[in-house]
Amino acid sequence: KGEMSRAAWISLLCFCLVGANANGSQSQTTCSSLIGLSAAKGSKSVFNVYINGEFRPSVSGRTQPVIAPFNDSVVYEVPVCTREEIDEAFAAAKTAQRGWSRTPLWKRAELLKKAALKLREHAEEIAEVMLNEVAKPRKAGIAEVLRTADILEYTAEEGVRVAGTVLNSDSFPGEKRNKLALVSRVPLGVVVAIPPFNYPLNLAGSKVAPALIAGNAIVMKPPSQGAVTGLVGIAAVFHLAGVPAGLLSVVTGKGSEIGDYITQHRHANAISFTGGSTGIKVARGAAMIPLQMELGGKDPAIVLPDADIALAASSIVKGAFSYSGQRCTGVKIVVVVEPPGGGGALEALLPLILTQAAALKVGHPSEDGVDVTAVIDRKSADFIEGLVADAVDKGAKMVLPASGKLERAGNLIHPVVLTGVREGMRIVYEEQFGPVLPIMTVSSTREAIDLCNASPLGLQASVFTRSLEDAMLLADELQAGTVQINGAPARGPDHFPFQGFKDSGIGSQGVKWSIEAMTKVKSTVINLSQESYAQG
């Protein structure tokens, strides 16, 4: 047993289950290994694409490697789809959506609940895939799978309660009561879903579930790093749950080759995208279709003189270094208000931050209790190191590591804390997306607001204070989609609205808001020959 990897054992645990498909009938007995279902025949590392209800290799005959962040080895290979295969996926989606839009809500909800059950059954298998391709610690990977199952189940419950409205014409001045407007929410059609690498399952599920419950079909393009999670955790899971053929396709390939073709496809009726500044290009290329986009953040944590220092320090460290800082809702910069007369929080705050950050466990994602693992790839690691070097060259002080020197091994960067950060340094406004925490001071709350609002990004912000007045002033003034009072930035709970201002995004997410984003309003007006008033 000790000679076999955990992944190998999981792959061997292929037992057979009898499940039920989406229409409630019994499905055929199938092998329950997601890898076995989605990988090429005889392989555990080369995967098939999922189009029109079928796992198969691409007709291109080409694959692209998925590189493990922790050692730069090729851990998986995924197909490079052709434009013709993408056309097929959209055509199948368009056809399947017609039938799905006429499927009762309770049956759509049933599919999501069955998929959630499959996620729970295969949590360790999916988490192992995320460990290999995005260096997500195993415990965090399992938590992401379970959270995604929760999203599917909550969406199923929320979706069946989406209701239309009836409007009477005489509500408007001068009108008679001789018209009724029946207002409904109807599906958009085919939704393009593009999730990011950092939460490749959760942020895929949060797109797929609302789209399906609303009556849409989906063509999903997972990230290159995270593609196997999309094939295993979405395509294979929904396949086992009984998704109708064509309703969901998962296509893979190089974004530079097929990205624009997918997002600008003539049959694409909406785009739900999570990622970086590439999303701005996607938005500009989209032609008159709805967009739901989250494009990153430079989330500040503002610490006022009266803050609970222990709470602020623990929240900041968790927010800055969780998943190696590769979170859109991570703390990207700390802004401490230090009044000219003294009494600021930095003197008490900094030692707590340094102690807690230094105690974080750095290592391989398979290690128990690991906090900081390798960032996604060498390009990202080089970018992060460049931001740190720029800040130090311009006068910032590296107070962690204690040596004052960056500690890096391949793509693994040890936690960095910088003090003396000031405007003019790239790290003030560029999103580092890594385990680096810059700290700067300002002399007033007004200065903190102006500094943060000067950023082109506006996803979230945190404010630490005991004053309700100050908290509300900052919450009202900060140009961010969400302001957290006495807590770290966070996406969730998943029924909360989640949105970015400025270059951080378009539209809102969160279960209820995502369902609304995946639908459009349709009105049917009944014209009566005479006024009619309902009587009791």
Side-chain angles (χ1 to χ4, degrees), residues 93 98 174 182 195 226 246 257 284 306 324 346 374 392 394 399 419 464 490 518:
R98 294 191 191 100
L182 309 181
E257 294 182 6
R284 287 172 178 159
D306 68 338
S324 309
L346 184 61
V392 171
K394 293 175 180 175
V399 292
T419 58
F464 294 92
M518 304 292 186

Side-chain angles (χ1 to χ4, degrees), residues 276-328:
S277 58
T278 301
I280 296 175
K281 179 189 174 191
V282 171
R284 287 172 178 159
M288 292 293 290
I289 62 174
L291 302 174
Q292 183 191 50
M293 314 197 89
E294 190 267 283
L295 309 179
K298 186 66 180 179
D299 305 344
I302 301 173
V303 184
L304 300 190
D306 68 338
D308 180 329
I309 300 302
L311 172 64
S314 60
S315 300
I316 287 167
V317 170
K318 179 182 178 182
F321 298 108
S322 177
Y323 188 44
S324 309
Q326 297 176 116
R327 298 168 55 243
C328 295

Side-chain angles (χ1 to χ4, degrees), residues 334-338 346 421 439-443 447:
V334 177
V335 181
V336 183
V337 177
E338 295 275 296
L346 184 61
V421 174
I439 301 175
M440 64 187 302
T441 59
V442 295
S443 60
E447 189 180 349

Side-chain angles (χ1 to χ4, degrees), residues 352-369:
L352 294 180
I353 289 176
L354 292 177
T355 298
Q356 294 176 35
L360 296 172
K361 183 175 180 180
V362 180
H364 192 279
S366 64
E367 297 175 25
D368 290 337

Side-chain angles (χ1 to χ4, degrees), residues 26-50:
Q26 293 298 307
S27 66
Q28 293 182 346
T29 302
T30 55
C31 174
S32 70
S33 166
L34 302 179
I35 292 175
L37 176 62
S38 53
K41 187 175 181 180
S43 175
K44 296 187 183 76
S45 61
V46 180
F47 285 79
N48 290 315
V49 71
Y50 185 69

